[in-house]
Every structure is written in structure tokens, then in C-alpha cells.
DNA sequence: TCTGGGGTCCTTAATCTA
DNA sequence: TCTGTAGATTAAGGACCC
């Protein structure tokens, strides 16, 4: 029997686990004086910055993630404001990962506080999806002293929306047969990927709930929102989404940025900051064995006016000096060198492994010889993906012959 | 309200190239 | 060889996520 989610296989059981107020909960766990108190992790009041995580006590005051810290302080002046302790959170996240790997080998940490687990194969061994969810929650509670909310559904979309239904310490299971009914009455903004702008655009068309979205034709959605977004909306409104878990993603870019305490025009300071950001990027790149050929300068002026300038070179780099020299070149030829700067940032992209030569050095396929080179390159692309680098030795002969 | 830092992906337009 | 075009690539900006 065909069903709407997979034509060629039995439905899976996908679990999404979301740690509750993760950063704040860790701080409360490790400092009993914070228990039961409104704890706000992020920038400190008085500075420029936003809330990263608010404890549930702080949420009662209307404090939310991504809220400017000044606003959070206005709403909750007696809150306890703390800077994040990243290392501690990474460690806790890894511990969560270890617990999940005992349940199923198919675990994907989607962020520091979220994971997808394919539990389809674990049911025979461990019991029903509900039993497995309780097992996970209990282990996290007893060994880490933290709570998590869990959603289970036939694919990633349903699992993710479900985990958000009953926070904190929640558990929501959506059977395949219940998917459409489950989605119908939810606001369109519950679909991950629909933010403020997309929600406004849909509301303008009289679409507020996922059920109303489903009532629109694919043709209409594509004509209004374009091929990509239209197809996305059409599928998600029907609960259609991937059920693959565990695809490790390769990083596509490295970036570092700094917001100044107050806007600055001090070119020495900008120079120093770019130098520091460049060497941070170089360090990260070398640590991960990556180098990049595209450099991006990001600049935010007074009034949040944001610009980027980028340039792609034909050689990739992971070296502090080269990154700096390239980004300085972009900065000094940019038109905003005189204006007060709020933020400055550096990015490295079009990444490849190691410091080797790039695919972009290809010679034109005009001769038989270069066709051979192309065939070799295609084989490498097939095997390693189109971003694969060509070992230096493999490039050089073609290069020499060309000259 | 006054907006961090680290990412990913999408769109659009111009240009290059197979 | 000429011409036309589909498809990459580059650059800039923005939406979105945690």
C-alpha cells in the first residue's frame, strides 16, 4: 500500500530531542543558588547583545531568545544575567549524544541542544516508541540532571514540530495516520523555515494555519513564492519531509565577527580587529585541515546598515597573513572606510581540503590531452563530490604541458 | 525593542563557458 | 566556424536557525 511519505518503504520512527532551556538549565544545575530563579544567558545588561537562553522562570517575564538584552533587563530587572560558558555546554551536549548512541546508532546532532534519532530498528529490542522516549528522557534526567522534550513521527518535520508541543519535559508522538490532522490547526510559523517574513507574506493571502496552506494548489504557491519556496510550502503542509538521519554535513564556510561596544571610526582599531579575526579564521581552518579561496568582508555601520564585499582568488589559503592581506584589500577599497562602524567580520568560503591546488585551474577541453585531464577530474568529482580538490601532482603535468 | 555570533540556503543579476 | 543557449560561477543581499 502506498502512503504519502515514502513510496518504496515502510514508515520509519524518527525521534527529535530538544533539550529544555539548555544553557540556563546547565547553569541552574551547577549552581543551586540559581534554581527556581529567572536566569538569562547572553549579553550582560548595559552592553550590546541579545538573549541566548532564558530559564523558564525568566520566560514568565516575557524574556525570549534573540531579544535585545536591554529589553530583557526592562522586563526582568531582578533576573540573573550570565555570559555563556561554551565549553561546559559542548561537554553536556556530547554526553547527551553518548546516551542517544546507546539507543540507536543513527544519531544526528542537529545543533548543540537538539538531535534526531532513527529508532525504527530499536523497537524490537527496546520496546514501543513511547517506551524508548521515556528511557531516553530518564537517562538524561538521572545521569545529567537535565530535562529534554521529545517528539516522534514518521519523518524529521513531524518529529521536530512534535518535540515543541509539550515543552518542557514533554513527549508527543504522532502516528502516520494522524499527521494531517496534527498539522492542520497549527500556525504556519510552526514549520521550520517559516520565519517572520514568510509568515507575514502567507497571512496577507489569508493563510494562517497549515490546514489553510494545504488547501492552496501547488501551482498557486509556486507562482507566488517561486519554485523552491512554493514546493517547500506545498510539501510541508502535507507533512512531507526527509526521514534520513545521520548525514554528517561538511562545513561550507568559516566566519568570525566582532560588534564594538560603541561605533568606531578608529582605523587602527579596525586594522587590529581584522588582524585578530583573520588569525582566528586561519587557526580554525588549519585545525580542521581546510583552506578557502573566497574571502568576505562584512561591515555593519551606524543604524544597522550591513554590507558585504567578497572576492574569489584562484588559490586557496589557510594562512593568517594571506587571509588578512586579502580582507584588508577588500576593506581599503570599500566605500565605507570613513563611516562609524558597528561590526566588522571576516569570512572564508569555497573551502577545500588541505592547501592543494584548486579545480578552478582546469585547462580548457580543447585538446585530447586536456580531455583526458577532464575525464580524470570527473572521476575525482564523482568519487569525492564536486568540491573535491585535485592533488597537486595530478594538476602539474597538465599545467606544464599547457605552457 | 534596537537588534550577538556562527552558520546554511535562497534569490537575483551579471558574466563566463561548455 | 558561427551562433545561440543552458548552465556554472561570482557577487551582494536577505531570511532563517540555534
Amino acid at each position: 500500500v502506498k502512503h504519502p511519505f515514502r513510496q518504496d518503504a515502510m514508515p520509519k520512527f524518527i525521534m527529535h530531542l530538544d533539550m529544555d532551556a539548555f544553557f540556563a538549565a546547565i547553569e541552574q544545575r551547577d549552581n543551586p543558588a540559581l534554581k527556581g530563579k529567572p536566569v538569562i544567558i547572553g549579553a550582560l545588561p548595559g552592553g550590546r547583545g541579545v538573549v541566548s537562553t532564558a530559564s523558564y522562570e525568566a520566560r514568565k517575564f516575557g524574556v525570549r531568545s534573540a531579544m535585545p538584552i536591554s529589553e530583557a533587563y526592562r522586563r526582568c530587572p531582578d533576573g540573573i544575567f550570565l555570559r555563556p560558558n561554551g565549553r561546559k555546554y559542548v561537554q553536556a551536549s556530547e554526553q547527551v549524544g553518548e546516551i542517544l548512541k546507546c539507543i540507536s546508532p543513527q544519531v544526528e546532532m542537529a545543533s548543540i541542544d537538539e538531535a534526531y534519532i532513527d529508532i525504527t530498528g530499536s523497537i524490537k529490542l527496546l520496546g514501543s516508541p513511547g517506551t524508548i522516549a521515556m528511557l531516553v528522557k530518564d537517562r538524561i534526567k538521572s545521569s545529567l540532571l537535565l530535562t529534554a522534550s521529545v517528539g516522534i513521527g514518521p519523518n524529521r518535520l513531524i518529529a521536530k514540530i512534535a518535540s515543541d508541543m509539550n515543552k518542557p519535559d514533554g513527549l508527543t508522538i504522532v502516528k502516520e495516520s494522524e499527521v494531517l490532522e496534527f498539522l492542520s490547526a497549527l500556525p504556519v510559523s510552526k514549520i521550520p523555515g517559516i520565519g517572520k517574513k514568510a509568515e507575514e507574506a502567507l497571512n496577507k493571502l489569508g493563510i494562517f494555519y497549515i490546514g489553510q496552506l494545504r488547501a492552496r494548489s501547488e501551482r498557486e504557491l509556486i507562482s507566488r513564492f517561486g519554485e523552491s519556496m512554493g514546493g517547500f510550502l506545498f510539501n510541508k503542509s502535507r507533512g512531507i519531509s526527509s526521514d534520513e538521519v545521520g548525514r554528517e554535513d561538511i562545513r561550507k564556510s568559516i566566519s568570525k565577527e566582532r560588534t564594538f561596544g560603541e561605533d568606531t571610526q578608529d582605523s587602527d582599531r579596525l586594522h587590529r580587529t581584522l588582524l585578530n579575526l583573520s588569525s582566528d579564521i586561519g587557526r580554525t581552518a588549519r585545525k580542521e585541515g581546510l583552506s578557502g579561496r573566497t574571502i568576505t568582508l562584512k561591515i555593519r555601520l551606524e543604524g544597522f546598515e550591513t554590507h558585504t564585499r567578497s572576492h574569489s582568488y584562484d588559490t586557496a589559503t589557510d594562512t593568517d597573513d594571506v587571509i588578512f592581506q586579502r580582507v584588508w584589500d577588500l576593506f581599503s577599497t570599500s566605500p565605507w572606510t570613513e563611516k562609524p562602524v558597528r561590526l566588522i567580520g571576516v569570512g572564508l568560503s569555497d573551502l577545500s581540503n588541505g592547501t592543494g591546488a584548486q579545480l578552478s585551474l582546469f585547462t580548457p577541453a580543447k585538446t585530447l590531452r586536456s580531455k583526458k585531464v577532464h575525464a580524470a577530474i570527473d572521476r575525482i568529482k564523482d568519487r569525492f563530490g564536486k568540491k573535491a580538490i585535485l592533488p597537486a601532482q595530478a594538476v602539474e603535468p597538465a599545467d606544464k604541458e599547457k605552457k
Side-chain angles (χ1 to χ4, degrees):
Chain A
V1 178
K2 285 193 176 181
H3 56 82
F5 309 106
R6 312 194 91 222
Q7 257 87 57
D8 56 343
M10 288 298 290
K12 293 186 183 177
F13 288 90
I14 306 299
M15 177 164 111
H16 182 256
L17 179 132
D18 197 330
M19 299 298 294
D20 300 319
F22 192 48
F23 298 173
I26 291 171
E27 300 301 343
Q28 287 178 318
R29 175 192 73 179
D30 295 348
N31 180 355
L34 302 180
K35 284 190 180 127
K37 302 253 174 68
V39 173
I40 297 158
I41 313 292
L44 299 180
R48 282 172 157 176
V50 298
V51 175
S52 170
T53 313
S55 72
Y56 280 88
E57 296 83 358
R59 292 183 196 191
K60 286 185 198 144
F61 293 86
V63 178
R64 295 282 178 275
S65 288
M67 174 182 278
I69 208 72
S70 52
E71 174 70 12
Y73 184 72
R74 214 168 294 141
R75 290 177 187 248
C76 191
D78 296 327
I80 298 160
F81 291 81
L82 299 174
R83 299 285 303 161
N85 182 347
R87 255 194 298 276
K88 200 153 82 169
Y89 311 151
V90 167
Q91 195 201 338
S93 177
E94 283 165 358
Q95 291 170 330
V96 171
E98 292 310 312
I99 290 172
L100 296 177
K101 277 179 210 147
C102 299
I103 301 297
S104 160
Q106 276 150 283
V107 174
E108 177 184 328
M109 290 305 293
S111 74
I112 195 164
D113 72 337
E114 269 181 63
Y116 290 93
I117 311 97
D118 184 342
I119 58 168
T120 313
S122 315
I123 292 169
K124 251 190 289 177
L125 242 72
L126 300 173
S128 69
T131 307
I132 294 172
M134 288 313 297
L135 181 66
V136 168
K137 284 160 62 75
D138 285 347
R139 283 197 189 168
I140 290 173
K141 204 171 291 180
S142 60
S143 63
L144 302 182
L145 306 174
L146 296 168
T147 66
S149 295
V150 169
I152 295 175
N155 60 47
R156 297 168 66 102
L157 172 75
I158 303 304
K160 165 104 178 158
I161 296 177
S163 72
D164 190 49
M165 295 295 291
N166 243 321
K167 284 178 132 299
D169 206 7
L171 169 57
T172 303
I173 302 175
V174 180
K175 290 192 236 141
E176 204 200 356
S177 59
E178 303 165 344
V179 163
L180 293 184
E181 198 199 339
F182 168 73
L183 291 175
S184 284
L186 296 176
V188 288
S189 58
K190 288 284 176 183
I191 298 172
I194 309 264
K196 215 174 124 205
K197 300 285 180 179
E199 185 180 23
E200 271 170 29
L202 287 166
N203 288 171
K204 266 188 198 144
L205 299 172
I207 301 168
F208 297 87
Y209 299 99
I210 299 176
Q212 298 173 319
L213 182 59
R214 198 189 308 137
R216 305 296 179 111
S217 71
E218 185 172 24
R219 204 175 41 73
E220 182 192 357
L221 294 175
I222 286 177
S223 75
R224 288 214 143 94
F225 295 98
E227 184 72 40
S228 170
M229 189 61 171
F232 172 88
L233 293 170
F234 181 82
N235 283 330
K236 301 292 151 149
S237 70
R238 283 159 180 72
I240 296 169
S241 123
S242 161
D243 60 7
E244 300 298 319
V245 167
R247 193 193 99 262
E248 47 151 340
D249 42 14
I250 304 138
R251 93 138 80 215
K252 306 251 172 45
S253 66
I254 303 168
S255 67
K256 306 276 172 198
E257 59 191 54
R258 249 307 284 279
T259 295
F260 298 107
E262 64 297 316
D263 299 352
T264 181
Q265 302 191 70
D266 180 347
S267 64
D268 267 6
R269 191 170 181 197
L270 294 172
H271 183 274
R272 263 197 326 271
T273 307
L274 284 175
L275 214 44
N276 288 331
L277 294 169
S278 299
S279 75
D280 282 354
I281 289 191
R283 191 178 328 114
T284 304
R286 290 189 299 277
K287 194 169 70 189
E288 300 188 22
L290 296 169
S291 46
R293 46 185 289 273
T294 302
I295 224 78
T296 302
L297 168 74
K298 176 171 169 181
I299 205 160
R300 177 124 74 206
L301 307 171
E302 255 181 338
F304 227 64
E305 177 191 339
T306 309
H307 298 278
T308 60
R309 279 291 173 278
S310 66
H311 186 79
S312 299
Y313 292 82
D314 52 13
T315 60
T317 184
D318 64 356
T319 314
D320 301 2
D321 322 359
V322 180
I323 295 168
F324 172 72
Q325 174 219 308
R326 289 177 177 185
V327 77
W328 184 250
D329 204 51
L330 284 171
F331 177 74
S332 36
T333 57
S334 77
W336 332 279
T337 47
E338 300 303 309
K339 301 191 179 174
V341 174
R342 178 191 181 94
L343 166 152
I344 198 156
V346 182
L348 186 69
S349 55
D350 206 338
L351 300 177
S352 51
N353 290 293
T355 50
Q358 299 304 304
L359 284 176
S360 58
L361 297 177
F362 295 171
T363 52
K366 284 271 159 66
T367 67
L368 200 73
R369 214 159 40 229
S370 64
K371 271 183 189 163
K372 268 190 192 167
V373 172
H374 266 271
I377 286 159
D378 284 341
R379 284 199 301 278
I380 290 165
K381 280 192 196 167
D382 283 344
R383 201 151 356 135
F384 298 112
K386 66 174 175 186
K387 301 278 163 165
I389 62 119
L390 211 52
Q393 299 91 322
V395 170
E396 267 168 35
D399 239 359
K400 273 181 203 152
E401 282 163 25
K402 195 190 160 198
K403 288 165 197 165

